[in-house]
């Protein structure tokens, strides 16, 4: 079961097949609020420079960058597959099997710069946005808080300051699809592919957050030992 929530509450309840009929979900708007040059600039380079520039403007230390991927662990995991699973494969069926139960969240009234620091401190790239009642109203992606480029173009620094002072509710994706814990994982995978989102908040029918499921959660479950079998 999937839902769609926005600032005014639930907009949709139904299966994945009908989710594509919801226009705001079918055409998820990604703000990418500040583009000072061309869209082919590597987002990763700009994202890395953004907190440092904002911190310098504010006279504060920049948040530490995320560590590089642990390639050694990935190689070890790959080599271990030659041995085969040490336990029987188990069916990978529902969101509850692989979801993260602890999710970093932010308020819609928080400033973009403050939200950036929260995500950086926890090493995550997205966070559900919750209203005062704890209900999901949007999804904040770190990529949407960072300009693609801040190198010297007229007005770039001024625009960067303005972006940092904006509230989260002007940058978040809303309305946002959410998913129930009992939903089949293949349905979730299909929705992630169709929308281009990196993950979905997991909620009940009232929009109260239960956790988060990301592409990484699904891949980690498939690659674990014993590996889970999507087709059992």
């Amino acid at each position: 079961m999937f839902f769609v929530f926005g600032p005014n509450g639930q907009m949709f309840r139904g299966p994945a097949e009908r989710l594509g009929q919801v226009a705001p979900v079918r055409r998820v708007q990604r703000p990418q609020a500040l583009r000072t040059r061309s869209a082919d600039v590597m987002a990763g380079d700009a994202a890395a420079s953004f907190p440092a520039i904002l911190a310098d403007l504010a006279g504060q230390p920049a948040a530490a960058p995320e560590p590089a991927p642990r390639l050694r662990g990935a190689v070890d995991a790959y080599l271990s597959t030659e041995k085969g699973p040490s336990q029987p494969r188990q069916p990978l069926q529902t969101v509850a099997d692989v979801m993260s139960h602890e999710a970093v969240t932010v308020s819609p009234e928080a400033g973009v710069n403050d939200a950036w620091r929260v995500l950086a401190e926890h090493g995550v790239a997205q966070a559900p946005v919750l209203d005062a009642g704890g209900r999901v109203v949007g999804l904040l992606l770190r990529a949407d808080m960072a300009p693609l480029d801040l190198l010297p173009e007229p007005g770039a620094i001024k625009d960067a300051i303005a972006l940092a002072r904006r509230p989260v509710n002007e940058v978040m994706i809303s309305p946002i699809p959410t998913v129930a814990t009992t939903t089949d994982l293949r349905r979730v995978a299909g929705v992630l592919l169709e929308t281009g989102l990196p993950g979905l908040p997991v909620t009940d029918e009232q929009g109260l957050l239960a956790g988060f499921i990301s592409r990484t959660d699904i891949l980690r479950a498939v690659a674990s030992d014993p590996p889970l079998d999507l087709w059992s």
Side-chain angles (χ1 to χ4, degrees):
M1 184 65 65
F2 291 85
F3 315 103
V4 176
F5 290 96
N8 296 323
Q10 188 184 106
M11 300 172 55
F12 171 85
R13 177 186 184 278
E17 292 80 3
R18 290 178 50 211
L19 187 60
Q21 300 172 11
V22 183
V25 173
R26 190 169 61 248
R27 296 184 298 273
V28 171
Q29 298 298 312
R30 296 287 301 278
Q32 287 293 357
L34 182 60
R35 296 173 184 262
T36 60
R37 287 219 301 263
S38 62
D40 59 354
V41 179
M42 292 301 292
D45 294 340
S49 64
F50 185 51
I53 291 173
L54 294 182
D56 182 62
L57 292 171
Q60 300 174 354
E66 292 186 42
R70 298 182 178 177
L71 298 180
R72 182 68 254 170
V75 173
D76 292 341
Y78 175 77
L79 293 175
S80 70
T81 61
E82 295 181 355
K83 304 175 183 178
S86 58
Q87 302 175 36
R89 293 178 181 240
Q90 301 297 321
L92 179 64
Q93 294 180 330
T94 67
V95 168
D97 294 330
V98 303
M99 62 182 272
S100 300
H101 292 274
E102 299 294 332
V104 177
T105 64
V106 295
S107 163
E109 290 80 26
V112 165
N113 197 29
D114 293 333
W116 177 286
R117 292 183 184 283
V118 170
L119 269 63
E121 288 170 1
H122 289 84
V124 296
Q126 62 275 318
V129 182
L130 306 185
D131 64 14
R135 293 175 174 81
V136 173
V137 295
L139 179 66
L140 182 66
L141 304 185
R142 191 164 58 181
D144 289 341
M145 293 187 284
L148 293 183
D149 178 66
L150 280 177
L151 294 177
E153 293 284 338
I157 299 301
K158 179 180 178 181
D159 289 342
I161 295 173
L163 174 62
R165 291 174 176 169
R166 292 172 65 182
V168 164
N169 60 21
E170 293 185 13
V171 180
M172 69 183 185
I173 297 172
S174 183
I176 184 69
T178 73
V179 64
T181 57
T182 55
T183 304
D184 187 283
L185 278 168
R186 284 174 290 179
R187 302 295 188 189
V188 179
V191 169
L192 294 181
L193 288 172
E194 290 172 7
T195 62
L197 293 170
L200 297 177
V202 182
T203 71
D204 62 12
E205 293 199 29
Q206 286 70 49
L208 294 174
L209 189 70
F212 194 84
I213 182 166
S214 67
R215 296 173 186 170
T216 301
D217 291 325
I218 297 173
L219 289 173
R220 184 182 296 115
V222 171
S224 65
D225 187 10
L228 301 179
D229 191 345
L230 282 166
W231 305 106
S232 291

